[in-house]
Amino acid sequence: MRDLRIPHVAYLNPFINGIRARLILCQVIFIFLTGCSEHVSYLYSYAPPEKLEDGLNTGTLAEAKMDPQLIITAINHIKNGRYKEIHSLLIYKDGMLVLEEYFEGHAYRWNGNKHHGEEVIWNRDSLHHIMSAAKSITSACVGIAIDKGFIKGVHESIFNYLPKHQHLNIHGKSEITIEHLLTMTSGLEWHEWRAPLSSTRNDLIELWFQDKDPVTAILERPLVHAPGTKFRYSGGNMILLGEIIKYATRMPFDDFSKEYLMKPLGIDTASWVDRFNNGVIYAGGGLVMKPRDMMKFGITYLNDGVWDDKHLVPIQWVEKSKVVYGNNHRINIPEEPSGRQGYSYSWWIKEMYVSGKQIRMFSAGGWGGQHIFVSPELKTVIVITGGNYKTYRPPFEILEEFILPAVVMNP
C-alpha cells in the first residue's frame, strides 16, 4: 500500500490541512474496503418464513433448535458470491418451515451460454425447472398407480404396458421389469453420462434431435447387461415409466400426476413442460414447480408417504426408496462434488458425517443443483434450487459445512 501518512500540521494552513486530512482519511477507508471486498458481508437479518395457506407450518430456527449463526453465514456466502447461482434455500425441521430464502440468478435455457437465460430475482412464486429431481416424483406416481391397482406390481415386464411396441420385445428384453427402470438397471445400452447435456452425443439429448418416437428409439437399443445387474443412469427409463402409467391408467401422465399427487398436496402451478414432437412427456426431468411445493413433496416422504393425514404414497414405496437396490452402492455422479452415493427407486442415498455423527439421507437430485434432501433421523427436509449447469455445484458443500452442523450441534 502506498504511503498515506498525513503531513505535520505545523507546515499547513489549518483550514486546508483539515480538508486534506479528511480527504486522506476517506481515501484510506476506501482503499481498505475495496482491498478487502471479498470479506465484506451483507448484513443478512434472519426472519422466519411467512405463514401461508398452503399447508406448511412455519417457525423459527430457535424453535427448531438450530444454530442461527451457521445459517446466517451460509446465506451471506451466497449473497456475497462465494456460492454462485443458488436460487433458493429452504429448511424444514421438527414440523416447521424455518428458513425460506431466494436469490438472484439465471433462468434455464438449454442453448444459452452456460445454459443460462435471463437474469432473475427468484421468489416464492417463481416456477423452477427441477431437472432430474422430477424422477423421484415420477417414481412416486408409479407407487401410487400400483397402490390404486392400475399396475399389478414392480416385477411385471414393461411390455405388459407397452402394447404398441411388442415388435421390440426381443432378445431377452421381456425380462426388463418396472423395478429395473426405477433402479436404472434395465440393461439397455445407454450413455447419458458419456457426454454433457449440451451435446447431441448425449443419448438423452439425441432423442430430441430425431424424428423417431422416443419410446421406439429407447427400446430399439440392444440389451447389453442382464436386467437388474448393472447400474446405468438413463432418462430413457423414466420416459418409459411415464408411458407405462399412461397406458395402465388410461390417463396422460401429467394428468395422473396432477390428480393423484399434485392436487392432494395443494400444488396447482406445477407443470410438465418438456414434451417430444409426438406428445410423449419427458417424465425424467421436464417438470417446473415452486420450491415450497418441492418441500411439500419432500415432507411427504419424510412422513412415510403421508400429507395432511392422508396416505398419498405407500409407506412400503417410501421404504424402498431409502434402501440401496442391489449393487447400486458406489456411484459417482459426473461433475457433482457429492462423493459416492447409492440409488434406489429414483432416489439417491448417501451417508454423511458431521462432528463424527453419521447422518443417512436420501434425496431427489437434478442437473444444475436442484435437490430435495430428506433426513428422517433429523426430522429435516432441505430444498435447494440453482443454475450451476456448467459450473461448480455447491449444494453439498453448503449442506456439509453449514446446514447439517447447524442441526446436529443443537439436536
Side-chain angles (χ1 to χ4, degrees), residues 97 101 123 134 190 197 217 245 249 303 308 318 344 363 370 389:
L97 183 67
E101 294 294 338
N123 60 63
W190 193 266
L197 285 164
I245 289 176
T249 65
N303 294 333
D308 193 25
V318 176
S344 183
S363 66
Q370 329 310 323
Y389 307 108

Side-chain angles (χ1 to χ4, degrees), residues 175-186 227-228 237 325:
E175 299 300 315
I176 303 173
T177 67
I178 291 170
E179 184 172 72
H180 296 146
L181 297 182
L182 289 163
T183 57
M184 301 297 179
T185 59
S186 68
N237 286 354
Y325 175 83

Side-chain angles (χ1 to χ4, degrees), residues 138-177:
T138 297
S139 169
C141 289
V142 176
I144 293 169
I146 292 173
D147 189 53
K148 299 293 182 184
F150 294 112
I151 297 173
K152 291 181 181 179
V154 294
H155 300 300
E156 282 201 280
S157 170
I158 62 174
F159 286 97
N160 292 350
Y161 299 93
L162 297 170
K164 295 181 181 179
H165 297 83
Q166 292 302 311
H167 61 289
L168 297 170
N169 186 4
I170 56 175
H171 306 312
K173 294 179 186 177
S174 63
E175 299 300 315
I176 303 173
T177 67

